[in-house]
Amino acid sequence: MSIQNLRKILNGSRLRSKSNQEIAQQISKSLMINSDLETLEAHPLLSNLNPQITHLVLSNPSVPIYSCLKFFNFLRINSSLFSSQIPDHRVHLTLVFRLFEERKYALAKNVLNSIAFDGNLRCPVSDLASLVEERCNEPKLKAKIFDMLFRVFAENKLFGEALEVFEYANSKGIEIEERSCMVCLVAMKRCGEFEAVVQFFKKMVDSSVEITVYSSSLVVDCFCKRGEVDNARKLMSEMRDKGIKLNAYAYNSLMESYVRKKDFERVSEVLELMEKDSVAPTVVTYTLLFDGYMNGGKLKDAEKLFEEMRDRAIERDVYLYSAMINWSVRVDNMKRAFALFDEMTEKGIQPNAHTYGALINGVCKAGQMEAADILVNEMQSKGIDLNQVIFNSLMDGYCKRGMIDEALRLKDVMEKKGILPDVIAYNTIANGLCQLNQHEEAKRLLCAMVENGLSLNTVNYTTLVDIYCKEGNFVEAKRLLEEMKSKGESPNVVTYNALIDGHSKKGKMKEAYQLRHEMESWGLMPDVYTYTSLMHGECISGKLEEALKLFDEMPERGLIPNVVTYTAIISGLSKEGRTDEAFQLYDKMIDAGIIPDNTVYASLVGSLHSA
């Protein structure tokens, strides 16, 4: 039948005198004949629609389900045409019942999602539950609807409503499926609602919901993330007693907690437990262990683990190779680093920016800037661009080589790439300028850093303090020391050493000792550099005996003199003409395995002439 014929039928009827039942039958009849509703808004019939009529139409089993859907969607799109809200939450549920009867579960879920999403459709869970109870008499169908309603609320992060559905269903003896409960647990965990996860899991247990390896492992992980490792272990023990074998995910969560605490004794316990329960370690297990050993300074254990992965045919990914390369660089084993790099590329594992960054950092530390350029060109040819860390490594390398212009060029390049220099970059270049005695340029650079919105940190302040001390401007140096304290940047040993060294070289020994006392009051222990600066100052002031007292005090503090320390004392002895003592100290220096520099030899030769 055409729309024109439908119009005639509708317009020829005295709609307002008809009951809801009659109007519903007329609409149903029209939908059975023709479901094309594009011009339905022109019909006077629509002014008579209400939720009850809509419910009667949608619940009519004679109306094809897809005609019902078209009618429902038409009403939703044209809701502004009606005086009352059509379709309301009751109409939505009516359509859900029809879709369930037709086994159109995905479509039914979409309709339920509308109830969860649309604030205008929101109503108390108790109202929804009563409607389901009222309109659905078939127990299995009712259970499925409650289960889906629970899942929809959980997926939409409406955990309060989800729990209300769960508790209502439980009170009526209706079981919410374990997989739906798992959906809720996962959603809660993703939202960081760890307490909610634990509490809902307890409800699951109390309600005799089947507890599986997946739900219990997830709760173990939540306990661990909340720092409740003992509760995690207790749950694992309970699950084991019930015959539920937890998977590696649970053991990895437990291990991660112990790794973070660097509690390697407990880490070993977890590994033994995994072996006892026949749970094979995964890549995640090895990665956690690897990171733990690395961060705990257990490099040999990390290497052993790395090799064990190869023996067990567990794939080592780019992350593990990069971490191993990085640690090889940190212990100055560049041969090992490049061997690992070659090994990973031979296995078809593509290096990333972290891999290249570790190697570039290593060669820059060694001053091998030509090798750094080769690595940069290689990574760029593979489409891997330089990042902040790599730029900083390169600038540091060039500064250590005295190639300040190249470092400044790199700073310009990174800025053009949209990478703003950080405090590390500025301080690296400032130190490079200081090494070339370009102190004014270094100060201007750090001032520019502040103007660009970056705050001075302890390292930046220390650099400026050192500059002013070298210039003999102790007033400004001490002002900066107080400023950094007031801004929450705590001075460190290096900061105080810069001040002590500056005062000592100017013969201001009283102030130098006061600074040593001040640093100790801050809980900072003087190091070799502190003692060497004081000894140098005493020698300059002609107080060699005071310098020797400091030298003898060092072993009592657990400090081992270095080449600069020996040089200061030998020079002091030589200038006083105490040649025998100078040579005795030289022999002691050689016995300690310290290689003398030219200054030592010059002092010894000078002492012979003065003798």
Side-chain angles (χ1 to χ4, degrees):
M1 179 180 287
S2 66
I3 286 295
Q4 288 77 12
N5 291 334
L6 181 60
R7 261 188 198 151
K8 288 177 183 179
I9 294 171
L10 297 175
N11 290 336
S13 305
R14 294 182 181 179
L15 295 171
R16 294 189 184 279
S17 64
K18 291 182 180 291
S19 67
N20 287 344
Q21 184 70 43
E22 289 173 317
I23 296 170
Q25 286 177 351
Q26 193 168 0
I27 296 173
S28 298
K29 184 178 178 181
S30 302
L31 290 171
M32 287 186 278
I33 296 170
N34 192 330
S35 62
D36 184 3
L37 304 171
E38 291 179 2
T39 58
L40 200 62
E41 64 269 20
H43 294 264
L45 171 69
L46 293 180
S47 62
N48 294 271
L49 277 178
N50 59 41
Q52 177 61 23
I53 294 171
T54 311
H55 161 68
L56 291 169
V57 173
L58 294 177
S59 61
N60 189 337
S62 299
V63 180
I65 188 62
Y66 286 107
S67 295
C68 287
L69 280 168
K70 284 186 178 181
F71 182 56
F72 176 81
N73 289 328
F74 171 80
L75 296 178
R76 284 179 61 193
I77 294 168
N78 297 281
S79 60
S80 60
L81 298 173
F82 314 115
S83 57
S84 59
Q85 185 180 343
I86 303 174
D88 62 3
H89 65 277
R90 290 166 293 184
V91 171
H92 278 72
L93 277 178
T94 300
L95 183 59
V96 168
F97 296 144
R98 281 295 311 277
L99 290 166
F100 262 89
E101 289 168 355
E102 298 287 340
R103 305 177 73 84
K104 306 294 184 186
Y105 301 123
L107 292 173
K109 189 176 181 183
N110 289 339
V111 177
L112 285 176
N113 270 315
S114 298
I115 296 176
F117 273 123
D118 193 337
N120 294 322
L121 294 172
R122 284 279 173 80
C123 65
V125 169
S126 57
D127 289 359
L128 290 175
S130 296
L131 283 169
V132 175
E133 290 278 8
E134 175 189 325
R135 297 182 181 181
C136 185
N137 297 318
E138 208 280 303
K140 287 186 178 179
L141 180 61
K142 188 188 296 184
K144 284 183 179 294
I145 292 173
F146 273 113
D147 187 80
M148 184 175 285
L149 189 60
F150 168 79
R151 186 182 290 209
V152 164
F153 280 131
E155 288 176 347
N156 285 288
K157 302 174 186 176
L158 299 169
F159 302 125
E161 287 84 346
L163 290 175
E164 282 189 62
V165 174
F166 181 87
E167 288 173 354
Y168 182 91
N170 188 48
S171 70
K172 298 292 183 179
I174 299 169
E175 183 181 345
I176 300 297
E177 295 182 11
E178 188 277 335
R179 60 180 180 175
S180 297
C181 292
M182 188 66 190
V183 168
C184 187
L185 289 171
V186 170
M188 287 174 169
K189 182 173 180 289
R190 284 177 178 167
C191 292
E193 300 282 350
F194 301 135
E195 175 64 24
V197 170
V198 172
Q199 293 305 318
F200 181 57
F201 183 77
K202 289 178 181 177
K203 287 183 182 292
M204 289 170 61
V205 174
D206 293 341
S207 303
S208 300
V209 175
E210 180 189 1
I211 303 300
T212 66
V213 59
Y214 303 106
S215 57
S216 50
S217 295
L218 184 143
V219 177
V220 166
D221 184 56
C222 284
F223 272 131
C224 290
K225 282 183 167 52
R226 292 173 65 195
E228 298 178 21
V229 183
D230 290 339
N231 284 334
R233 296 194 72 155
K234 181 181 176 182
L235 178 60
M236 291 175 75
S237 179
E238 289 173 0
M239 293 301 104
R240 198 180 299 113
D241 292 342
K242 291 181 179 181
I244 298 173
K245 179 182 176 182
L246 297 184
N247 55 23
Y249 177 73
Y251 290 93
N252 289 343
S253 300
L254 197 60
M255 184 177 296
E256 185 178 13
S257 297
Y258 292 135
V259 164
R260 280 200 302 265
K261 297 176 182 178
K262 296 183 180 178
D263 189 344
F264 294 106
E265 184 178 341
R266 290 296 182 92
V267 167
S268 298
E269 285 180 14
V270 177
L271 287 172
E272 290 171 6
L273 198 58
M274 290 179 76
E275 187 175 352
K276 179 183 176 183
D277 292 345
S278 301
V279 178
T282 63
V283 175
V284 175
T285 313
Y286 279 101
T287 303
L288 286 169
L289 281 170
F290 186 82
D291 285 344
Y293 289 142
M294 286 293 190
N295 294 329
K298 295 176 172 289
L299 188 57
K300 289 185 178 179
D301 289 327
E303 286 191 29
K304 182 181 176 182
L305 190 71
F306 191 76
E307 296 305 320
E308 183 181 319
M309 289 184 71
R310 180 179 61 185
D311 297 340
R312 293 196 176 194
I314 295 175
E315 284 297 324
R316 296 169 293 179
D317 58 14
V318 63
Y319 171 81
L320 287 171
Y321 269 104
S322 299
M324 198 68 202
I325 289 169
N326 184 48
W327 276 94
S328 297
V329 168
R330 288 178 66 174
V331 296
D332 297 323
N333 192 346
M334 291 304 297
K335 184 178 179 181
R336 171 71 167 153
F338 277 105
L340 287 166
F341 182 82
D342 292 339
E343 182 182 308
M344 69 180 287
T345 52
E346 287 170 7
K347 287 179 174 289
I349 300 172
Q350 294 300 317
N352 57 23
H354 297 294
T355 321
Y356 279 106
L359 288 173
I360 290 169
N361 182 43
V363 295
C364 286
K365 281 182 177 178
Q368 299 174 4
M369 300 313 296
E370 296 79 8
D373 287 338
I374 293 171
L375 286 167
V376 167
N377 292 331
E378 182 181 316
M379 69 179 287
Q380 289 182 321
S381 70
K382 292 181 178 180
I384 305 170
D385 211 350
L386 278 68
N387 57 28
Q388 179 84 66
V389 176
I390 295 174
F391 271 114
N392 287 349
S393 294
L394 289 166
M395 286 187 285
D396 185 54
Y398 283 121
C399 285
K400 285 176 178 174
R401 287 271 297 265
M403 301 168 69
I404 196 68
D405 290 338
E406 192 62 23
L408 290 168
R409 183 190 69 78
L410 275 174
K411 177 177 172 290
D412 291 338
V413 170
M414 69 186 290
E415 287 174 333
K416 288 176 182 176
K417 285 180 173 287
I419 303 173
L420 296 177
D422 58 9
V423 291
I424 297 173
Y426 278 105
N427 207 69
T428 297
I429 297 175
N431 281 332
L433 290 166
C434 289
Q435 288 173 17
L436 298 173
N437 292 318
Q438 297 180 26
H439 295 151
E440 288 303 318
E441 289 83 350
K443 285 188 281 187
R444 280 197 292 269
L445 182 75
L446 291 176
C447 286
M449 180 190 94
V450 174
E451 289 171 4
N452 287 334
L454 295 174
S455 300
L456 294 171
N457 63 11
T458 298
V459 177
N460 303 137
Y461 272 114
T462 299
T463 299
L464 285 170
V465 166
D466 188 48
I467 290 171
Y468 284 113
C469 285
K470 283 182 168 64
E471 292 175 346
N473 189 347
F474 300 118
V475 173
E476 183 61 18
K478 287 182 178 179
R479 187 195 69 77
L480 283 168
L481 179 68
E482 295 308 313
E483 180 184 303
M484 68 186 293
K485 290 178 185 177
S486 68
K487 291 191 175 182
E489 295 292 336
S490 301
N492 57 24
V493 174
V494 181
T495 314
Y496 277 102
N497 281 346
L499 287 159
I500 291 169
D501 186 61
H503 283 82
S504 296
K505 284 178 178 175
K506 294 295 183 180
K508 296 177 175 290
M509 296 310 298
K510 181 180 178 181
E511 290 87 346
Y513 281 108
Q514 285 175 345
L515 285 163
R516 185 179 78 161
H517 176 72
E518 183 180 320
M519 73 182 285
E520 288 177 328
S521 69
W522 275 76
L524 301 171
M525 292 299 103
D527 61 7
V528 174
Y529 192 90
T530 316
Y531 273 90
T532 301
S533 296
L534 290 169
M535 281 184 266
H536 190 206
E538 294 291 12
C539 289
I540 291 172
S541 302
K543 296 181 178 180
L544 183 57
E545 292 304 321
E546 293 298 320
L548 288 169
K549 284 181 183 178
L550 288 166
F551 186 81
D552 292 336
E553 187 182 315
M554 287 183 69
E556 297 172 10
R557 293 280 192 117
L559 300 174
I560 301 173
N562 59 22
V563 63
V564 182
T565 315
Y566 278 105
T567 301
I569 296 296
I570 289 172
S571 296
L573 290 168
S574 298
K575 286 176 183 177
E576 292 285 326
R578 296 163 66 169
T579 306
D580 290 343
E581 291 176 76
F583 272 96
Q584 285 175 5
L585 198 59
Y586 170 79
D587 291 337
K588 186 177 180 179
M589 178 181 182
I590 297 297
D591 292 339
I594 298 172
I595 300 172
D597 57 16
N598 291 333
T599 305
V600 172
Y601 291 117
S603 297
L604 291 170
V605 171
S607 70
L608 290 172
H609 288 297
S610 62

